[in-house]
Amino acid sequence: MTSLETPDTETVTGTWRRLRGLARGAGVVPALTALRTAVCPEALPCGPAGHALVPEDIAETFDHGWADGSGAPRAADREDRLTEIAVSGGVLVALRRRDEAPVDVHRAPVRAWTLGLAWVRLGLSEQMLDTCMTYLRGRVTGAGTLLNQQMVKGSLAEVAIEHLEIETMMDGALPGDLDIAATVHLHAQITRADRMLLRLLGAYGFLADGPGQVAWVSELLADVYVGPPAEGGPR
Amino acid sequence: MIELDDRTRAIQRRAREWARELKPLALELDGDPDAIYRHLDVAIVSYLTRMPVPPRHNPDPVVIDGHRFYGTGTLERVVFAEEVAVGDAGMLLAAPGPVMSGVLVDSLGDERQKEWFYSRILQRPTWTFFALTEPARGSDAGAMETTLAPDGDGYVLNGRKRYIGNAARADIGVVFARTRPGPLGVTAVLAETSDPGFTAEPLETIGLRGLRITNVTLDRVRISAGNVLGQHLRPTQRGMWSAVQGLNRLRPGVAAFGLGIARSAYEYVRENRPGLPLRDRERLDDLGRRITGVRQLIWRAALAVDAARPSAGYEASAAKAKASRLAEDATMEALGFFGAGARLEHPLLDKLARDARAVEFMEGTGNIQKLNLFTGLLQGRLHRG
Ligand SMILES: Cc1cc2nc3c(=O)[nH]c(=O)nc-3n(C[C@H](O)[C@H](O)[C@H](O)COP(=O)(O)OP(=O)(O)OC[C@H]3O[C@@H](n4cnc5c(N)ncnc54)[C@H](O)[C@@H]3O)c2cc1C
């Protein structure tokens, strides 16, 4: 994966596309690993309040983590391991770094991470859409499949519209091109699309693994790195 | 606006007091569904264990402020369910008791079956289950494939059920199966989980983990002729019709615990974010108004069920569709008041957001409720003033 330290549109676009494809095809662990390599090769990426949610090996590799200005050394006595989540393809670890100055959300690598994360989350949402279409095609009702019910078609079309808009907004964007509020908005939009898909997946999407977990992990990533959607904008 | 009478207010007050006991246990049950076995003596759990059991079979009702409660009225049940779900919806659903099968036995059982069922319930805390959904038949449960075939002097059940709450803990429950093709070919039977051929395996879920939904396999489970429900009724009143009637009666209750989840999130913000700036306070107040509106809709549906109004099922669909969306929206919005890392720093809110996702599916999805409501609208049977 190419580094985004000296970005030009073509490199960045190619990187985003690969991240999104990885998320859609291989899942969250390889996609986050590739995102970290691309935007923060030296440190553990942390959210504005000092949390991290990353694949296990990333959590264990780095002796520095993002803080106020740049990287600050990690110390075991100032870090809490909050939870581990076994997902398809590996384990994600949630951490909290205590007593660090808040991460400066205006810094370039942080903005690259939150934008790249939106691409990863879009890829995960597209994976859910694929799963959902397969699920609905396989469910019989009356004379046809659930995929052929008009209400279902309408909901799937709504998801596709969201995906198209999100993609168009982000296409060609370099880190910093979209202001922070716009990035937060995009993340919220992805969450809403995922929720529509979850409703279409029936109780299957409520099981602890599979698409129901993909959606929850994707929401957790947004929560940690951009904060949950609040009308007041980023906090 | 609908106002509660003194009797219903009494149970509301008591449920609110009791529900406070549940909050500290909510995350424990989420982490370990077996925690329910350690909390059977919690007041609310022991109340649920005996509700609903109709007066004829319950010599010892719960008395609150001089009023007797059997848990059979829909309005009292929704008021109660909202309060308990504010404490913890997981515990509400994990508790032993007749719950859904009780409603079916009440409407379909003959005297002997009722006696048998309710005496088991009143003997000791007994979990029950209600098995309608199948792996290939969810919303379209009427097309179920599980069969009930004559076998000697009784019957034999074969098939699979999925997402069945509490079946791995239950002793008894109701299973729906097909005796012949078509909607009139569906029959409900009482089944015992200890019978050979009955297995229930828990499924891990993203939320409402206390409920422990399961996969049920029915491999030549013998059902005695006396355990077939509704034989004394007309054929049209037995199978799917009874399931639909039962679900109509229960649906306002599902709506109420969606409402309770929403209110729990709303109250969490009020308690943990005092001194919000004006704009945020207005946003929170607006959420409060949405909660009030949906509560009225649920009470309206409950009153319609209690009055056996022909529109009851449609009104219940309206309440359930609205409440499931409210639960999702309120829990997501509540997280928005706490900034980055909210789900990790406020695990109870994360749990509420996970639990809220289930309300959409229980007793029929939003689309199914809307389609049902539309039928009422089209046929002029939706009661509108
Ligand atoms: C926590 C939990 C507890 C449960 N407990 C029980 C229980 O105790 N007993 C029991 O029997 N079941 C139980 N269920 C199952 C529940 O009743 C089903 O999940 C529900 O009926 C939906 O079925 P499904 O999940 O198969 O979704 P599907 O039927 O596969 O639906 C998938 C999507 O298609 C849509 N859809 C389906 N048909 C149509 C149509 N005709 N037109 C338009 N859209 C349509 C749905 O709205 C949904 O969005 C439980 C489920 C959950 C999540």
Side-chain angles (χ1 to χ4, degrees), chain A residues 51 96 139-140 195 199 204-206 208 212 216 219 223 228 230 232, chain B residues 135 137 204 206 279 328 332 335-336 339 341-343 345 350 357:
Chain A
H51 303 89
R96 178 205 294 122
R139 308 276 297 166
V140 177
R195 287 294 178 124
R199 285 179 213 119
Y204 170 57
F206 194 62
W216 176 60
E219 282 179 17
D223 176 276
Chain B
R137 299 294 178 173
E204 293 300 326
I206 204 85
R279 218 164 69 146
E328 278 196 57
M332 293 300 274
L335 284 161
R343 282 176 178 261
E345 295 300 326
D350 175 58
R357 280 170 42 181

PDB file of all heavy atoms in Angstrom, chain A residues 51 96 139-140 195 199 204-206 208 212 216 219 223 228 230 232, chain B residues 135 137 204 206 279 328 332 335-336 339 341-343 345 350 357:
ATOM      1  N   HIS A  51      -9.295   7.017  22.379  1.00  0.00           N
ATOM      2  CA  HIS A  51      -9.593   5.588  22.224  1.00  0.00           C
ATOM      3  C   HIS A  51      -9.006   5.073  20.915  1.00  0.00           C
ATOM      4  O   HIS A  51      -8.784   5.841  19.983  1.00  0.00           O
ATOM      5  CB  HIS A  51     -11.104   5.349  22.192  1.00  0.00           C
ATOM      6  CG  HIS A  51     -11.820   5.865  23.394  1.00  0.00           C
ATOM      7  ND1 HIS A  51     -12.305   7.149  23.448  1.00  0.00           N
ATOM      8  CD2 HIS A  51     -12.110   5.290  24.575  1.00  0.00           C
ATOM      9  CE1 HIS A  51     -12.877   7.343  24.634  1.00  0.00           C
ATOM     10  NE2 HIS A  51     -12.772   6.228  25.333  1.00  0.00           N
ATOM     11  N   ARG A  96      -8.110   2.520  25.625  1.00  0.00           N
ATOM     12  CA  ARG A  96      -8.268   3.920  26.011  1.00  0.00           C
ATOM     13  C   ARG A  96      -6.922   4.399  26.546  1.00  0.00           C
ATOM     14  O   ARG A  96      -6.338   3.760  27.410  1.00  0.00           O
ATOM     15  CB  ARG A  96      -9.317   4.049  27.110  1.00  0.00           C
ATOM     16  CG  ARG A  96      -9.512   5.459  27.608  1.00  0.00           C
ATOM     17  CD  ARG A  96     -10.059   5.504  29.023  1.00  0.00           C
ATOM     18  NE  ARG A  96     -11.396   4.974  29.161  1.00  0.00           N
ATOM     19  CZ  ARG A  96     -11.711   3.958  29.972  1.00  0.00           C
ATOM     20  NH1 ARG A  96     -10.779   3.333  30.674  1.00  0.00           N
ATOM     21  NH2 ARG A  96     -12.961   3.553  30.084  1.00  0.00           N
ATOM     22  N   ARG A 139     -34.989 -16.055   0.104  1.00  0.00           N
ATOM     23  CA  ARG A 139     -36.179 -16.192   0.963  1.00  0.00           C
ATOM     24  C   ARG A 139     -37.443 -16.192   0.116  1.00  0.00           C
ATOM     25  O   ARG A 139     -37.680 -15.264  -0.668  1.00  0.00           O
ATOM     26  CB  ARG A 139     -36.288 -15.023   1.959  1.00  0.00           C
ATOM     27  CG  ARG A 139     -35.082 -14.760   2.772  1.00  0.00           C
ATOM     28  CD  ARG A 139     -34.923 -15.567   3.980  1.00  0.00           C
ATOM     29  NE  ARG A 139     -35.889 -15.476   5.043  1.00  0.00           N
ATOM     30  CZ  ARG A 139     -35.922 -16.386   6.018  1.00  0.00           C
ATOM     31  NH1 ARG A 139     -35.082 -17.395   6.019  1.00  0.00           N
ATOM     32  NH2 ARG A 139     -36.794 -16.267   6.990  1.00  0.00           N
ATOM     33  N   VAL A 140     -38.232 -17.227   0.288  1.00  0.00           N
ATOM     34  CA  VAL A 140     -39.444 -17.364  -0.514  1.00  0.00           C
ATOM     35  C   VAL A 140     -40.638 -16.828   0.260  1.00  0.00           C
ATOM     36  O   VAL A 140     -40.762 -17.049   1.461  1.00  0.00           O
ATOM     37  CB  VAL A 140     -39.684 -18.856  -0.853  1.00  0.00           C
ATOM     38  CG1 VAL A 140     -40.976 -19.031  -1.629  1.00  0.00           C
ATOM     39  CG2 VAL A 140     -38.505 -19.395  -1.643  1.00  0.00           C
ATOM     40  N   ARG A 195     -28.165   0.684   8.896  1.00  0.00           N
ATOM     41  CA  ARG A 195     -29.367   0.369   9.672  1.00  0.00           C
ATOM     42  C   ARG A 195     -30.508  -0.080   8.765  1.00  0.00           C
ATOM     43  O   ARG A 195     -31.280  -0.961   9.105  1.00  0.00           O
ATOM     44  CB  ARG A 195     -29.790   1.585  10.508  1.00  0.00           C
ATOM     45  CG  ARG A 195     -28.881   1.844  11.707  1.00  0.00           C
ATOM     46  CD  ARG A 195     -29.007   0.711  12.686  1.00  0.00           C
ATOM     47  NE  ARG A 195     -28.152   0.845  13.833  1.00  0.00           N
ATOM     48  CZ  ARG A 195     -28.591   0.838  15.096  1.00  0.00           C
ATOM     49  NH1 ARG A 195     -29.864   0.728  15.359  1.00  0.00           N
ATOM     50  NH2 ARG A 195     -27.736   0.900  16.092  1.00  0.00           N
ATOM     51  N   ARG A 199     -32.379  -3.890   8.911  1.00  0.00           N
ATOM     52  CA  ARG A 199     -33.820  -4.188   8.970  1.00  0.00           C
ATOM     53  C   ARG A 199     -34.193  -5.206   7.897  1.00  0.00           C
ATOM     54  O   ARG A 199     -35.045  -6.056   8.093  1.00  0.00           O
ATOM     55  CB  ARG A 199     -34.633  -2.904   8.808  1.00  0.00           C
ATOM     56  CG  ARG A 199     -34.595  -2.065  10.068  1.00  0.00           C
ATOM     57  CD  ARG A 199     -35.374  -0.771   9.949  1.00  0.00           C
ATOM     58  NE  ARG A 199     -34.679   0.220  10.753  1.00  0.00           N
ATOM     59  CZ  ARG A 199     -34.145   1.345  10.300  1.00  0.00           C
ATOM     60  NH1 ARG A 199     -34.280   1.672   9.022  1.00  0.00           N
ATOM     61  NH2 ARG A 199     -33.494   2.144  11.105  1.00  0.00           N
ATOM     62  N   TYR A 204     -31.698 -12.673  11.104  1.00  0.00           N
ATOM     63  CA  TYR A 204     -30.354 -13.132  10.726  1.00  0.00           C
ATOM     64  C   TYR A 204     -29.313 -12.033  11.002  1.00  0.00           C
ATOM     65  O   TYR A 204     -28.203 -12.311  11.444  1.00  0.00           O
ATOM     66  CB  TYR A 204     -30.375 -13.527   9.238  1.00  0.00           C
ATOM     67  CG  TYR A 204     -29.029 -13.801   8.633  1.00  0.00           C
ATOM     68  CD1 TYR A 204     -28.187 -14.761   9.167  1.00  0.00           C
ATOM     69  CD2 TYR A 204     -28.601 -13.090   7.504  1.00  0.00           C
ATOM     70  CE1 TYR A 204     -26.949 -15.014   8.604  1.00  0.00           C
ATOM     71  CE2 TYR A 204     -27.368 -13.342   6.931  1.00  0.00           C
ATOM     72  CZ  TYR A 204     -26.534 -14.302   7.493  1.00  0.00           C
ATOM     73  OH  TYR A 204     -25.320 -14.532   6.937  1.00  0.00           O
ATOM     74  N   GLY A 205     -29.685 -10.796  10.763  1.00  0.00           N
ATOM     75  CA  GLY A 205     -28.790  -9.669  11.017  1.00  0.00           C
ATOM     76  C   GLY A 205     -28.685  -9.304  12.490  1.00  0.00           C
ATOM     77  O   GLY A 205     -28.016  -8.339  12.842  1.00  0.00           O
ATOM     78  N   PHE A 206     -29.386 -10.036  13.359  1.00  0.00           N
ATOM     79  CA  PHE A 206     -29.291  -9.776  14.801  1.00  0.00           C
ATOM     80  C   PHE A 206     -28.381 -10.794  15.487  1.00  0.00           C
ATOM     81  O   PHE A 206     -28.127 -10.701  16.681  1.00  0.00           O
ATOM     82  CB  PHE A 206     -30.702  -9.807  15.422  1.00  0.00           C
ATOM     83  CG  PHE A 206     -30.757  -9.230  16.814  1.00  0.00           C
ATOM     84  CD1 PHE A 206     -30.423  -7.902  17.049  1.00  0.00           C
ATOM     85  CD2 PHE A 206     -31.117 -10.011  17.906  1.00  0.00           C
ATOM     86  CE1 PHE A 206     -30.445  -7.365  18.336  1.00  0.00           C
ATOM     87  CE2 PHE A 206     -31.163  -9.481  19.191  1.00  0.00           C
ATOM     88  CZ  PHE A 206     -30.826  -8.161  19.400  1.00  0.00           C
ATOM     89  N   ALA A 208     -24.867 -12.671  16.502  1.00  0.00           N
ATOM     90  CA  ALA A 208     -23.629 -12.034  16.974  1.00  0.00           C
ATOM     91  C   ALA A 208     -22.523 -12.038  15.932  1.00  0.00           C
ATOM     92  O   ALA A 208     -21.590 -11.237  16.012  1.00  0.00           O
ATOM     93  CB  ALA A 208     -23.156 -12.734  18.246  1.00  0.00           C
ATOM     94  N   GLY A 212     -24.661  -8.657  11.064  1.00  0.00           N
ATOM     95  CA  GLY A 212     -25.076  -7.899  12.254  1.00  0.00           C
ATOM     96  C   GLY A 212     -23.877  -7.425  13.052  1.00  0.00           C
ATOM     97  O   GLY A 212     -23.895  -6.326  13.632  1.00  0.00           O
ATOM     98  N   TRP A 216     -22.280  -3.499  13.653  1.00  0.00           N
ATOM     99  CA  TRP A 216     -21.978  -3.001  14.996  1.00  0.00           C
ATOM    100  C   TRP A 216     -20.521  -2.522  15.078  1.00  0.00           C
ATOM    101  O   TRP A 216     -20.240  -1.445  15.603  1.00  0.00           O
ATOM    102  CB  TRP A 216     -22.254  -4.097  16.045  1.00  0.00           C
ATOM    103  CG  TRP A 216     -21.883  -3.698  17.430  1.00  0.00           C
ATOM    104  CD1 TRP A 216     -22.389  -2.641  18.133  1.00  0.00           C
ATOM    105  CD2 TRP A 216     -20.903  -4.308  18.278  1.00  0.00           C
ATOM    106  NE1 TRP A 216     -21.785  -2.584  19.383  1.00  0.00           N
ATOM    107  CE2 TRP A 216     -20.887  -3.595  19.495  1.00  0.00           C
ATOM    108  CE3 TRP A 216     -20.053  -5.414  18.128  1.00  0.00           C
ATOM    109  CZ2 TRP A 216     -20.028  -3.935  20.551  1.00  0.00           C
ATOM    110  CZ3 TRP A 216     -19.221  -5.754  19.185  1.00  0.00           C
ATOM    111  CH2 TRP A 216     -19.206  -5.018  20.374  1.00  0.00           C
ATOM    112  N   GLU A 219     -20.145   0.726  13.354  1.00  0.00           N
ATOM    113  CA  GLU A 219     -20.644   1.829  14.207  1.00  0.00           C
ATOM    114  C   GLU A 219     -19.648   2.153  15.312  1.00  0.00           C
ATOM    115  O   GLU A 219     -19.427   3.316  15.644  1.00  0.00           O
ATOM    116  CB  GLU A 219     -21.994   1.441  14.830  1.00  0.00           C
ATOM    117  CG  GLU A 219     -23.151   1.579  13.861  1.00  0.00           C
ATOM    118  CD  GLU A 219     -24.505   1.179  14.480  1.00  0.00           C
ATOM    119  OE1 GLU A 219     -24.616   1.105  15.715  1.00  0.00           O
ATOM    120  OE2 GLU A 219     -25.448   0.945  13.708  1.00  0.00           O
ATOM    121  N   ASP A 223     -17.796   5.633  16.139  1.00  0.00           N
ATOM    122  CA  ASP A 223     -17.930   6.184  17.486  1.00  0.00           C
ATOM    123  C   ASP A 223     -16.555   6.564  18.049  1.00  0.00           C
ATOM    124  O   ASP A 223     -16.371   7.644  18.610  1.00  0.00           O
ATOM    125  CB  ASP A 223     -18.607   5.114  18.359  1.00  0.00           C
ATOM    126  CG  ASP A 223     -18.737   5.512  19.811  1.00  0.00           C
ATOM    127  OD1 ASP A 223     -17.780   5.325  20.587  1.00  0.00           O
ATOM    128  OD2 ASP A 223     -19.808   6.011  20.170  1.00  0.00           O
ATOM    129  N   PRO A 228     -20.047   9.770  17.803  1.00  0.00           N
ATOM    130  CA  PRO A 228     -21.350   9.446  17.251  1.00  0.00           C
ATOM    131  C   PRO A 228     -21.983  10.691  16.656  1.00  0.00           C
ATOM    132  O   PRO A 228     -21.645  11.807  17.057  1.00  0.00           O
ATOM    133  CB  PRO A 228     -22.137   8.955  18.463  1.00  0.00           C
ATOM    134  CG  PRO A 228     -21.426   9.483  19.645  1.00  0.00           C
ATOM    135  CD  PRO A 228     -20.026   9.770  19.261  1.00  0.00           C
ATOM    136  N   ALA A 230     -23.888  13.796  16.126  1.00  0.00           N
ATOM    137  CA  ALA A 230     -24.625  14.711  16.993  1.00  0.00           C
ATOM    138  C   ALA A 230     -24.954  15.904  16.128  1.00  0.00           C
ATOM    139  O   ALA A 230     -24.138  16.337  15.330  1.00  0.00           O
ATOM    140  CB  ALA A 230     -23.766  15.144  18.164  1.00  0.00           C
ATOM    141  N   GLY A 232     -25.073  18.830  16.813  1.00  0.00           N
ATOM    142  CA  GLY A 232     -24.179  19.942  17.094  1.00  0.00           C
ATOM    143  C   GLY A 232     -22.844  19.838  16.376  1.00  0.00           C
ATOM    144  O   GLY A 232     -21.985  20.674  16.544  1.00  0.00           O
TER     145      GLY A 232
ATOM    146  N   PRO B 135     -36.494 -21.611   9.969  1.00  0.00           N
ATOM    147  CA  PRO B 135     -35.321 -21.102   9.256  1.00  0.00           C
ATOM    148  C   PRO B 135     -35.684 -20.473   7.903  1.00  0.00           C
ATOM    149  O   PRO B 135     -35.169 -19.423   7.550  1.00  0.00           O
ATOM    150  CB  PRO B 135     -34.448 -22.345   9.068  1.00  0.00           C
ATOM    151  CG  PRO B 135     -34.852 -23.273  10.160  1.00  0.00           C
ATOM    152  CD  PRO B 135     -36.303 -22.994  10.445  1.00  0.00           C
ATOM    153  N   ARG B 137     -38.884 -19.665   6.993  1.00  0.00           N
ATOM    154  CA  ARG B 137     -40.167 -18.950   7.049  1.00  0.00           C
ATOM    155  C   ARG B 137     -40.203 -18.021   8.247  1.00  0.00           C
ATOM    156  O   ARG B 137     -40.422 -18.467   9.368  1.00  0.00           O
ATOM    157  CB  ARG B 137     -41.321 -19.961   7.162  1.00  0.00           C
ATOM    158  CG  ARG B 137     -41.402 -20.901   5.997  1.00  0.00           C
ATOM    159  CD  ARG B 137     -41.767 -20.173   4.720  1.00  0.00           C
ATOM    160  NE  ARG B 137     -41.787 -21.085   3.592  1.00  0.00           N
ATOM    161  CZ  ARG B 137     -42.198 -20.747   2.384  1.00  0.00           C
ATOM    162  NH1 ARG B 137     -42.586 -19.523   2.127  1.00  0.00           N
ATOM    163  NH2 ARG B 137     -42.184 -21.624   1.417  1.00  0.00           N
ATOM    164  N   GLU B 204     -26.014 -17.052  19.607  1.00  0.00           N
ATOM    165  CA  GLU B 204     -25.443 -15.807  20.145  1.00  0.00           C
ATOM    166  C   GLU B 204     -26.015 -14.624  19.373  1.00  0.00           C
ATOM    167  O   GLU B 204     -26.107 -14.676  18.140  1.00  0.00           O
ATOM    168  CB  GLU B 204     -23.922 -15.823  20.017  1.00  0.00           C
ATOM    169  CG  GLU B 204     -23.234 -16.862  20.885  1.00  0.00           C
ATOM    170  CD  GLU B 204     -23.505 -16.670  22.372  1.00  0.00           C
ATOM    171  OE1 GLU B 204     -23.631 -15.512  22.822  1.00  0.00           O
ATOM    172  OE2 GLU B 204     -23.617 -17.690  23.081  1.00  0.00           O
ATOM    173  N   ILE B 206     -26.449 -10.118  18.988  1.00  0.00           N
ATOM    174  CA  ILE B 206     -25.729  -8.865  19.166  1.00  0.00           C
ATOM    175  C   ILE B 206     -26.298  -8.084  20.359  1.00  0.00           C
ATOM    176  O   ILE B 206     -25.609  -7.311  20.997  1.00  0.00           O
ATOM    177  CB  ILE B 206     -25.798  -8.040  17.849  1.00  0.00           C
ATOM    178  CG1 ILE B 206     -24.647  -7.060  17.737  1.00  0.00           C
ATOM    179  CG2 ILE B 206     -27.111  -7.349  17.656  1.00  0.00           C
ATOM    180  CD1 ILE B 206     -23.406  -7.633  17.173  1.00  0.00           C
ATOM    181  N   ARG B 279     -29.118  24.325  22.703  1.00  0.00           N
ATOM    182  CA  ARG B 279     -29.446  23.599  21.476  1.00  0.00           C
ATOM    183  C   ARG B 279     -29.587  22.098  21.735  1.00  0.00           C
ATOM    184  O   ARG B 279     -30.486  21.442  21.226  1.00  0.00           O
ATOM    185  CB  ARG B 279     -28.336  23.823  20.450  1.00  0.00           C
ATOM    186  CG  ARG B 279     -28.860  23.968  19.050  1.00  0.00           C
ATOM    187  CD  ARG B 279     -27.829  24.541  18.180  1.00  0.00           C
ATOM    188  NE  ARG B 279     -26.752  23.545  18.002  1.00  0.00           N
ATOM    189  CZ  ARG B 279     -26.068  23.414  16.879  1.00  0.00           C
ATOM    190  NH1 ARG B 279     -26.317  24.197  15.871  1.00  0.00           N
ATOM    191  NH2 ARG B 279     -25.109  22.524  16.776  1.00  0.00           N
ATOM    192  N   GLU B 328     -34.630   2.533  18.059  1.00  0.00           N
ATOM    193  CA  GLU B 328     -33.356   2.681  17.345  1.00  0.00           C
ATOM    194  C   GLU B 328     -32.885   4.138  17.359  1.00  0.00           C
ATOM    195  O   GLU B 328     -31.732   4.430  17.666  1.00  0.00           O
ATOM    196  CB  GLU B 328     -33.504   2.229  15.887  1.00  0.00           C
ATOM    197  CG  GLU B 328     -33.407   0.736  15.702  1.00  0.00           C
ATOM    198  CD  GLU B 328     -33.153   0.374  14.237  1.00  0.00           C
ATOM    199  OE1 GLU B 328     -32.161   0.843  13.659  1.00  0.00           O
ATOM    200  OE2 GLU B 328     -33.974  -0.367  13.672  1.00  0.00           O
ATOM    201  N   MET B 332     -29.511   5.785  19.399  1.00  0.00           N
ATOM    202  CA  MET B 332     -28.434   6.377  18.598  1.00  0.00           C
ATOM    203  C   MET B 332     -28.261   7.853  18.962  1.00  0.00           C
ATOM    204  O   MET B 332     -27.151   8.351  19.120  1.00  0.00           O
ATOM    205  CB  MET B 332     -28.721   6.239  17.100  1.00  0.00           C
ATOM    206  CG  MET B 332     -28.687   4.822  16.598  1.00  0.00           C
ATOM    207  SD  MET B 332     -27.107   4.004  16.845  1.00  0.00           S
ATOM    208  CE  MET B 332     -26.233   4.516  15.376  1.00  0.00           C
ATOM    209  N   LEU B 335     -26.417   8.436  22.268  1.00  0.00           N
ATOM    210  CA  LEU B 335     -24.965   8.333  22.150  1.00  0.00           C
ATOM    211  C   LEU B 335     -24.375   9.651  21.662  1.00  0.00           C
ATOM    212  O   LEU B 335     -23.286  10.056  22.077  1.00  0.00           O
ATOM    213  CB  LEU B 335     -24.593   7.192  21.193  1.00  0.00           C
ATOM    214  CG  LEU B 335     -24.735   5.778  21.767  1.00  0.00           C
ATOM    215  CD1 LEU B 335     -24.815   4.745  20.648  1.00  0.00           C
ATOM    216  CD2 LEU B 335     -23.563   5.452  22.700  1.00  0.00           C
ATOM    217  N   GLY B 336     -25.107  10.336  20.785  1.00  0.00           N
ATOM    218  CA  GLY B 336     -24.639  11.596  20.214  1.00  0.00           C
ATOM    219  C   GLY B 336     -24.414  12.698  21.240  1.00  0.00           C
ATOM    220  O   GLY B 336     -23.749  13.690  20.951  1.00  0.00           O
ATOM    221  N   GLY B 339     -20.217  12.381  22.663  1.00  0.00           N
ATOM    222  CA  GLY B 339     -18.984  12.569  21.916  1.00  0.00           C
ATOM    223  C   GLY B 339     -18.222  11.280  21.648  1.00  0.00           C
ATOM    224  O   GLY B 339     -18.720  10.178  21.899  1.00  0.00           O
ATOM    225  N   GLY B 341     -16.037   8.013  21.461  1.00  0.00           N
ATOM    226  CA  GLY B 341     -15.788   6.967  22.454  1.00  0.00           C
ATOM    227  C   GLY B 341     -16.993   6.699  23.342  1.00  0.00           C
ATOM    228  O   GLY B 341     -16.893   5.953  24.321  1.00  0.00           O
ATOM    229  N   ALA B 342     -18.163   7.268  22.994  1.00  0.00           N
ATOM    230  CA  ALA B 342     -19.349   7.128  23.851  1.00  0.00           C
ATOM    231  C   ALA B 342     -19.709   5.670  24.110  1.00  0.00           C
ATOM    232  O   ALA B 342     -20.066   5.289  25.220  1.00  0.00           O
ATOM    233  CB  ALA B 342     -20.540   7.845  23.212  1.00  0.00           C
ATOM    234  N   ARG B 343     -19.588   4.851  23.084  1.00  0.00           N
ATOM    235  CA  ARG B 343     -19.999   3.449  23.260  1.00  0.00           C
ATOM    236  C   ARG B 343     -19.067   2.695  24.203  1.00  0.00           C
ATOM    237  O   ARG B 343     -19.480   1.748  24.870  1.00  0.00           O
ATOM    238  CB  ARG B 343     -20.043   2.739  21.911  1.00  0.00           C
ATOM    239  CG  ARG B 343     -21.271   3.075  21.109  1.00  0.00           C
ATOM    240  CD  ARG B 343     -21.173   2.412  19.754  1.00  0.00           C
ATOM    241  NE  ARG B 343     -22.347   2.656  18.955  1.00  0.00           N
ATOM    242  CZ  ARG B 343     -23.341   1.786  18.818  1.00  0.00           C
ATOM    243  NH1 ARG B 343     -23.322   0.627  19.432  1.00  0.00           N
ATOM    244  NH2 ARG B 343     -24.369   2.070  18.055  1.00  0.00           N
ATOM    245  N   GLU B 345     -17.196   4.289  26.641  1.00  0.00           N
ATOM    246  CA  GLU B 345     -17.254   4.911  27.971  1.00  0.00           C
ATOM    247  C   GLU B 345     -18.613   4.724  28.637  1.00  0.00           C
ATOM    248  O   GLU B 345     -18.743   4.879  29.841  1.00  0.00           O
ATOM    249  CB  GLU B 345     -16.951   6.415  27.859  1.00  0.00           C
ATOM    250  CG  GLU B 345     -15.536   6.732  27.385  1.00  0.00           C
ATOM    251  CD  GLU B 345     -14.471   6.169  28.325  1.00  0.00           C
ATOM    252  OE1 GLU B 345     -14.697   6.121  29.550  1.00  0.00           O
ATOM    253  OE2 GLU B 345     -13.417   5.749  27.812  1.00  0.00           O
ATOM    254  N   ASP B 350     -24.377   1.649  24.913  1.00  0.00           N
ATOM    255  CA  ASP B 350     -24.057   0.754  23.793  1.00  0.00           C
ATOM    256  C   ASP B 350     -25.001  -0.444  23.826  1.00  0.00           C
ATOM    257  O   ASP B 350     -25.531  -0.869  22.796  1.00  0.00           O
ATOM    258  CB  ASP B 350     -22.603   0.282  23.874  1.00  0.00           C
ATOM    259  CG  ASP B 350     -22.282  -0.750  22.796  1.00  0.00           C
ATOM    260  OD1 ASP B 350     -22.454  -0.420  21.607  1.00  0.00           O
ATOM    261  OD2 ASP B 350     -21.893  -1.881  23.142  1.00  0.00           O
ATOM    262  N   ARG B 357     -32.119  -2.841  18.349  1.00  0.00           N
ATOM    263  CA  ARG B 357     -32.205  -3.416  17.001  1.00  0.00           C
ATOM    264  C   ARG B 357     -33.180  -4.592  16.921  1.00  0.00           C
ATOM    265  O   ARG B 357     -33.705  -4.902  15.857  1.00  0.00           O
ATOM    266  CB  ARG B 357     -30.809  -3.862  16.538  1.00  0.00           C
ATOM    267  CG  ARG B 357     -29.970  -2.706  16.027  1.00  0.00           C
ATOM    268  CD  ARG B 357     -28.524  -3.048  15.773  1.00  0.00           C
ATOM    269  NE  ARG B 357     -28.286  -4.313  15.127  1.00  0.00           N
ATOM    270  CZ  ARG B 357     -27.067  -4.783  14.842  1.00  0.00           C
ATOM    271  NH1 ARG B 357     -25.999  -4.049  15.133  1.00  0.00           N
ATOM    272  NH2 ARG B 357     -26.909  -5.941  14.263  1.00  0.00           N
TER     273      ARG B 357
END
